[in-house]
Amino acid sequence: MTDNSRRGEHDPIRVGVFGARGRVGTQVVAGVEAAADLELVATVDVGDNASDLAEAGAEVVVDFTHPDAVLDNLRFAIDNGIHAVVGTTGFTQQRLDTVADWLRDRPGLGVLIAPNFALGAVLAMRFARQAARFYDSAEVVELHHNRKADAPSGTAAHTARVIAKARAEAGLAPGSDATTAELAGARGADVEGVHVHSVRLPGLVAHEEILFGGQGELLTIRHDSLDRTSFVPGVLLGVRAVLNRPGLTVGLEHVLDL
Ligand SMILES: NC(=O)C1=CN([C@@H]2O[C@H](COP(=O)(O)OP(=O)(O)OC[C@H]3O[C@@H](n4cnc5c(N)ncnc54)[C@H](OP(=O)(O)O)[C@@H]3O)[C@@H](O)[C@H]2O)C=CC1
Ligand SMILES: O=C(O)C1=N[C@H](C(=O)O)C[C@H](O)C1
């Protein structure tokens, strides 16, 4: 296990990256290398050995891998006393509970999991929460590159849950919908009563529209990640913050004090 407690106040934070050769991992590696207060000490991708991270003395590991891989990576990090910042999707409530359980035995250790590290996407979700109680209906459309493994996106699923919760707290029933005949999937996925539609096309990066409909008006909140550097500032904020956030934090909004 790594002893992270010996770093001096002005020493750089020692960072490792899981998924370092992936689309986002590549940008995270570049971002860490460019930050004066961070030091990239190890990178791990398929075929590499996770133990490199512990041997290099990583204090924080960033994970952008695959929903099938991320829990094993987190188990490794927690077992080795390494804080984690996770962008990989696929976190159901059950998976989050598992991670929280693992952390209970490791006081002082922090894990930050965020469905989206782009600052605008975090703000869009917050604006959606504010808007939700004022409209009869809401639907989410997410648009991504065609190499994406999961649908709907983690961000869209999270956005839908945020809207559903805000509507329920305001005592609103699900939005009215007269559809009685439909081709399977035509109305999208139902996430806690909020319909989510997924588009996959080459040329897209990561985009989300949150649509609210009310009497004679529409509100559309849209966010576009135009390239994957958009995720890097949020990831680096997370790396700096997680050292002082023991336990499980879900969502970058907590780090931003939104
Ligand atoms: N929260 C956020 O802000 C964002 C989240 N994401 C999410 O991040 C994840 C990765 O996205 P993206 O970078 O586009 O995907 P990529 O497929 O481009 O990158 C993932 C990388 O991780 C590697 N990998 C897979 N399994 C392991 C493992 N066990 N250990 C180490 N490396 C592994 C892959 O190798 P190989 O290709 O050989 O399988 C690949 O190089 C997805 O879940 C995506 O939805 C993406 C963007 C932003
Ligand atoms: O796979 C992606 O690309 C992205 N994944 C995350 C998600 O599923 O929400 C974040 C962002 O949308 C990009």
Side-chain angles (χ1 to χ4, degrees), residues 18-19 21-25 44-46 64-67 69 73 87-89 114-118 145 148 150 228 231:
F18 270 125
R21 291 195 289 273
R23 284 178 289 265
V24 182
V44 174
D45 206 283
V46 166
F64 281 87
T65 57
H66 190 279
N73 294 344
T88 307
T89 46
N116 203 313
F117 281 94
H145 59 97
K148 184 165 176 57
D150 52 323
R228 292 179 179 83
F231 305 116

Side-chain angles (χ1 to χ4, degrees), residues 131-185:
R133 70 190 165 93
F134 296 106
Y135 288 90
D136 297 333
S137 293
E139 303 215 2
V140 179
V141 184
E142 55 95 341
L143 308 92
H144 281 80
H145 59 97
N146 60 337
R147 310 299 304 277
K148 184 165 176 57
D150 52 323
S153 72
T155 308
H158 190 73
T159 305
R161 283 188 214 105
V162 164
I163 292 169
K165 184 163 182 273
R167 287 178 61 89
E169 283 169 1
L172 295 179
S176 70
D177 181 349
T179 310
T180 52
E182 66 175 302
L183 210 55

Side-chain angles (χ1 to χ4, degrees), residues 204-253:
L204 293 169
V205 179
H207 317 260
E208 182 178 55
E209 275 193 8
I210 310 156
L211 298 114
F212 293 96
Q215 188 177 332
E217 65 163 307
L218 276 179
L219 170 67
T220 304
I221 301 170
R222 180 171 174 119
H223 176 259
D224 297 275
S225 272
L226 301 173
D227 73 50
R228 292 179 179 83
T229 59
S230 60
F231 305 116
V232 175
V235 170
L236 302 191
L237 277 177
V239 166
R240 296 177 184 114
V242 76
L243 293 170
N244 300 312
R245 293 192 75 94
L248 177 62
T249 302
V250 181
L252 191 65
E253 60 272 24

